[in-house]
Amino acid sequence: SRDSALTHVLKDSLSGNCKTTLVTAASPHKFNIVETISTFRFGSRCKLVKTKAEKNVVLSPAQMRKMIGSLKTEIKSLK
């Protein structure tokens, strides 16, 4: 589900422009076996998340004005 703990933990990384490291801690004591297994499953699910990083583009003021103008035109056409 989109509201899972995994999604919440990785929300900044899911955009694709971030490196993320997740460290999990497990207990060797048999009393904590259920929690340890749950932690390992969570870590395994985290490893399955793949994103594609994109280089951030910095626009010049002229490019920004042009983009703003085209977006305003698009908004007018949608109204």
Side-chain angles (χ1 to χ4, degrees):
S1 120
R2 294 295 245 161
D3 298 324
S4 70
L6 176 60
T7 303
H8 181 70
V9 168
L10 297 175
K11 68 182 175 186
D12 292 329
S13 301
L14 293 175
S15 65
N17 287 337
C18 175
K19 287 187 179 183
T20 303
T21 302
L22 178 71
V23 178
T24 58
S27 170
H29 195 278
K30 66 181 179 180
F31 176 78
N32 297 320
I33 189 96
V34 173
E35 189 64 30
T36 298
I37 291 171
S38 176
T39 300
F40 287 152
R41 286 183 180 146
F42 178 78
S44 295
R45 288 194 326 267
C46 288
K47 284 177 57 175
L48 296 176
V49 174
K50 302 292 181 199
T51 60
K52 183 178 177 185
E54 294 179 9
K55 187 175 179 179
N56 293 334
V57 178
V58 178
L59 300 177
S60 70
Q63 291 171 315
M64 287 186 139
R65 282 191 292 275
K66 183 178 178 183
M67 181 185 286
I68 290 169
S70 67
L71 291 172
K72 284 181 179 179
T73 304
E74 182 180 343
I75 290 170
K76 285 180 185 177
S77 70
L78 293 172
K79 287 183 180 180

